[in-house]
């Protein structure tokens, strides 16, 4: 899978070791540039949400408190490294979505299990009271890890010291102390709970709330005007920041499809869990449905021409301003397609298809999302206009582009241009064959009931499928 939140550059900024006892002291922690980059984007998103959704003035005491919460969290995270703590990317799963904005809980137990996670801004769903935006106290895992590393132990022998440490470590199976670090996450993307910039024990619910929040922010941006004298580049930055937030939460949801929980339990640990636990099939289906609604449907991308014509770049010449050398116009069609394409490629990534194949062996009957179901669900969702056509067809530009990308991916599989399981190749071939048959019927019956774009698109799609299937037969 290609997803890496650090694509902008993974840079080790610090290596910190501790001289305290135990294996904790030998850990090497590293910080990455992406934490700063994405964390700043989270900070900007939260401030923008306060402005657009709550009408908070940028100079108000609420914004000051908000920034202080962020700085307190950031400082705690970095001080944690200096004390020898490694990242804990499982730390954000402490609370349910409903508990996140209950300050009685977050001020006493914590917003997250560990501030050593990359924690996103916590935004309440529409209509619900807002709690803390960032953790204002350290979490139960942090307290426990420091207890292990720094409790003074009056022992005469190493054996006695080890026994005391062992007693503290015995709590490791408690849910509040769950742990996953860099090597459980980077380049792996197996466990939706071991993730960065996610929040709550139910990411499906939380991410859907955030997708709705992003849509609400876009809607408010329609009527938002910069103050007199300010440039329209502010609107462009806000628009793009919301898009980044939207994409982040859609990507988080993809982790559920073919996902597995991974924990570091050892034999004899009290909770009796095995290291791998497949994500329940109903959650995988829910993830797929959510992506169909928020990514492949065009409902989320209903922007007025008035808003799109405000998206001007900054003309301020400065080394820190990338806008000045980017294209003048905001290429909205390309931006939407790039987003949809990246999510579609995630879902059909070869690694994920291998996992889905193997999960049929790793799960009991009827508890896995089989590849045929995934391929069919995507086909039905992306080619709806053709599959359900009965009174003429009109396919929008956004949907035609998405359909081309879907066709490209299936074609690459059939022509063996990507290394996917043989069953995936066969299913791609089958989906193309099915689509070809539907297109033949549709073009014969309805070619006078569609616009020129749609007719050309469908004719070309049919032609490409015929050639692909013919080429595939010749190569076999
Ligand atoms: Zn860090």
């Amino acid at each position: 899978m290609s997803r890496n939140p650090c694509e902008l550059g993974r840079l080790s900024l610090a290596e910190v070791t501790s001289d305290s006892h135990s294996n904790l002291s030998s850990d090497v922690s590293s910080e990455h540039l992406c934490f700063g980059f994405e964390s700043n984007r989270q900070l900007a998103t939260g401030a923008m949400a306060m402005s657009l959704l709550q009408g908070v003035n940028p100079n108000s005491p609420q914004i000051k408190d908000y920034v202080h919460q962020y700085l307190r969290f950031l400082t705690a995270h970095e001080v944690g490294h200096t004390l020898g703590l490694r990242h804990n990317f499982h730390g954000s799963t402490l609370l349910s979505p409903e508990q996140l904005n209950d300050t009685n809980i977050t001020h006493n137990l914590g917003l997250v299990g560990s501030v050593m996670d990359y924690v996103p801004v916590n935004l309440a769903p529409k209509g619900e009271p807002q709690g803390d935006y960032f953790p204002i106290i350290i979490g139960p895992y942090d307290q426990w890890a420091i207890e292990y590393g720094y409790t003074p132990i009056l022992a005469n022998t190493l054996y006695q010291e080890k026994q005391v440490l062992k007693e503290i470590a015995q709590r490791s199976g408690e849910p509040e102390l769950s742990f996953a670090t860099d090597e459980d996450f980077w380049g792996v993307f197996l466990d939706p709970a071991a993730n960065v910039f996610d929040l709550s024990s139910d990411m499906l619910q939380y991410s859907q709330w955030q997708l709705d929040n992003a849509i609400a922010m876009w809607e408010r941006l329609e009527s938002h005007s910069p103050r007199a004298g300010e440039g329209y580049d502010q609107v462009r930055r806000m628009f793009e920041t919301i898009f980044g937030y939207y994409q982040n939460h859609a990507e988080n949801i993809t982790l559920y499809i073919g996902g597995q929980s991974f924990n570091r339990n050892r034999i004899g640990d009290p909770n009796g869990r095995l290291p791998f636990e497949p994500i329940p099939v109903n959650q995988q289906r829910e993830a797929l449905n959510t992506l169909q609604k928020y990514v492949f449907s065009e409902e989320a991308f209903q922007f007025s021409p008035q808003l799109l014509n405000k998206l001007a770049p900054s003309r301020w010449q400065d080394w820190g301003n990338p806008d000045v050398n980017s294209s003048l116009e905001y290429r909205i069609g390309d931006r939407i397609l790039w987003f949809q394409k990246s999510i579609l490629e995630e879902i059909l990534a070869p690694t994920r298809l291998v996992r889905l194949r193997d999960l049929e062996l790793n799960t009991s009957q009827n508890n896995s999302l089989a590849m045929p179901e995934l391929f069919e669900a995507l086909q039905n969702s992306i080619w709806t206009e053709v599959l359900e056509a009965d009174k003429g067809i009109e396919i929008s530009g956004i949907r035609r582009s998405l359909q081309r990308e879907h066709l490209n991916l299936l074609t690459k599989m059939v022509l063996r241009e990507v290394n996917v399981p043989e069953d995936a190749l066969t299913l791609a071939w089958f989906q193309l064959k099915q689509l070809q048959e539907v297109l033949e019927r549709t073009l014969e019956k309805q070619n006078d009931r569609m616009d020129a774009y749609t007719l050309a698109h469908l004719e070309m799609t049919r032609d490409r499928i015929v050639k692909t299937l013919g080429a595939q037969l010749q190569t076999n």
Side-chain angles (χ1 to χ4, degrees), residues 400-465:
R400 289 196 304 272
S401 299
L402 172 66
Q403 289 170 357
R404 279 185 208 107
E405 287 305 326
H406 183 243
L407 182 65
N408 288 344
L409 282 174
L410 295 185
T411 301
K412 282 181 185 172
M413 288 185 202
V414 170
L415 298 180
R416 297 184 186 278
E417 291 174 9
V418 286
N419 188 18
V420 295
E422 284 296 312
D423 277 341
L425 183 153
T426 312
L427 289 166
W429 178 89
F430 183 68
Q431 292 298 332
L432 289 181
K433 190 93 175 74
Q434 299 272 78
L435 188 56
Q436 181 201 350
E437 288 169 11
V438 174
L439 287 171
E440 298 284 4
R441 287 198 301 272
T442 307
L443 286 165
E444 186 183 317
K445 287 182 187 169
Q446 305 207 38
N447 68 352
D448 57 346
R449 290 194 285 176
M450 55 182 86
D451 62 41
Y453 274 130
T454 303
L455 179 61
H457 169 63
L458 296 186
E459 288 271 9
M460 188 172 183
T461 301
R462 179 185 59 180
D463 200 39
R464 282 189 62 193
I465 293 175

Side-chain angles (χ1 to χ4, degrees), residues 56 83 102 172 187 300 320 322 357 363 381 417 422 440 457 459:
V56 173
L83 293 173
D102 184 341
S172 67
R357 180 198 65 191
T363 51
S381 166
E417 291 174 9
E422 284 296 312
E440 298 284 4
H457 169 63
E459 288 271 9

Side-chain angles (χ1 to χ4, degrees), residues 34-89:
C34 78
F35 180 40
F37 175 81
E38 181 54 38
S39 199
N40 285 342
R41 196 161 68 167
Q42 293 288 332
L43 182 69
T45 305
M48 194 171 57
M50 292 170 79
S51 168
L52 289 174
L53 302 179
Q54 301 166 27
V56 173
N57 187 303
N59 298 318
S60 68
Q62 290 109 303
I63 290 286
K64 194 175 170 187
D65 286 347
Y66 169 76
V67 173
H68 284 177
Q69 281 189 11
Y70 173 72
L71 291 175
R72 186 183 290 121
F73 153 65
L74 188 65
T75 306
H77 179 101
E78 301 306 340
V79 168
H81 281 318
T82 67
L83 293 173
L85 301 191
R86 298 196 63 194
H87 288 136
N88 181 358
F89 294 135

